[in-house]
Amino acid sequence: MPRRLRWLALALVALVVVAVVVAVVSVQPALSDARDRVDQAWAPLRPALVARYQSLAAVELTLVAAGGQARTVTKDLSVALTQWQHDVRVDDPATQAPLANDLEGLALRVKANFVASDRLRGNPGLVAALGAFDQAVVSPPAVAVYNRAVRDFQQQRSGAVHHLVASLFGFDARPTLEIAGA
């Protein structure tokens, strides 16, 4: 009987190995294709985002010149813009997309500070810098294409087997892009 159990255990292990190989071979290409579609959809967004965040850098400089360098939002914006300038040199949508969302959130915080402060609202340089930032528009249809590709990729990552393969092979989640005011 022990010999039979060893053979049974060996057969079970072999069956599990075969099942894992089949899962990887069948799931990994679909995950790879879906991630590639996300990256391809990001490419047309990148130049517009670079221009947009250059405008946001001008907003940050104007905030500093207006005496706002000690404000948390200005400090956070400075750190995020420095990170963006670093990350944009490396074409990696996986790092750029979450950072773009962070920058959009910071832009909303700056605008909230602007609206709440008579001193900031009275600063013509800041008014002009925020106006230039608002004019640096990212194409809503391109954002929609990217977000649809992200949702499709996330769908590919769902399910026990797909999630396991995605985790093993580094198919990490990607965020949708949320442009402030779009």
Side-chain angles (χ1 to χ4, degrees), residues 6-45:
R6 275 186 258 152
W7 280 107
L8 187 58
L10 183 62
L12 185 61
V13 167
L15 184 63
V16 168
V17 168
V18 167
V20 168
V21 169
V22 167
V24 167
V25 168
S26 65
V27 171
Q28 192 270 343
L31 285 168
S32 184
D33 290 346
R35 183 181 59 192
D36 289 348
R37 284 190 294 277
V38 170
D39 292 347
Q40 290 166 357
W42 180 259
L45 295 170

Side-chain angles (χ1 to χ4, degrees), residues 46-133:
R46 197 168 174 274
L49 289 169
V50 167
R52 183 168 175 83
Y53 301 142
Q54 285 173 341
S55 296
L56 191 55
V59 169
E60 186 253 341
L61 290 173
T62 307
L63 282 171
V64 169
Q69 67 270 15
R71 296 178 82 81
T72 304
V73 68
T74 306
K75 291 177 185 177
D76 292 348
L77 184 57
S78 177
V79 169
L81 285 167
T82 299
Q83 186 63 47
W84 173 262
Q85 290 165 356
H86 174 267
D87 288 358
V88 81
R89 287 186 222 130
V90 179
D91 191 17
D92 183 12
T95 60
Q96 292 171 4
L99 188 51
N101 284 334
D102 291 347
L103 286 166
E104 292 297 326
L106 287 165
L108 289 174
R109 283 178 54 200
V110 167
K111 289 178 181 182
N113 278 276
F114 175 78
V115 169
S117 169
D118 291 336
R119 185 175 58 83
L120 292 178
R121 279 196 321 270
N123 184 312
L126 186 54
V127 171
L130 282 170
F133 173 72

Side-chain angles (χ1 to χ4, degrees), residues 94-174:
T95 60
Q96 292 171 4
L99 188 51
N101 284 334
D102 291 347
L103 286 166
E104 292 297 326
L106 287 165
L108 289 174
R109 283 178 54 200
V110 167
K111 289 178 181 182
N113 278 276
F114 175 78
V115 169
S117 169
D118 291 336
R119 185 175 58 83
L120 292 178
R121 279 196 321 270
N123 184 312
L126 186 54
V127 171
L130 282 170
F133 173 72
D134 287 339
Q135 293 301 312
V137 176
V138 179
S139 164
V143 172
V145 167
Y146 170 78
N147 287 342
R148 192 171 326 111
V150 167
R151 284 190 293 279
D152 291 347
F153 176 59
Q154 294 305 100
Q155 184 81 25
Q156 282 289 331
R157 293 180 71 253
S158 65
V161 173
H162 288 227
H163 183 71
L164 178 63
V165 172
S167 297
L168 288 173
F169 288 92
F171 291 97
D172 298 328
R174 296 286 182 89

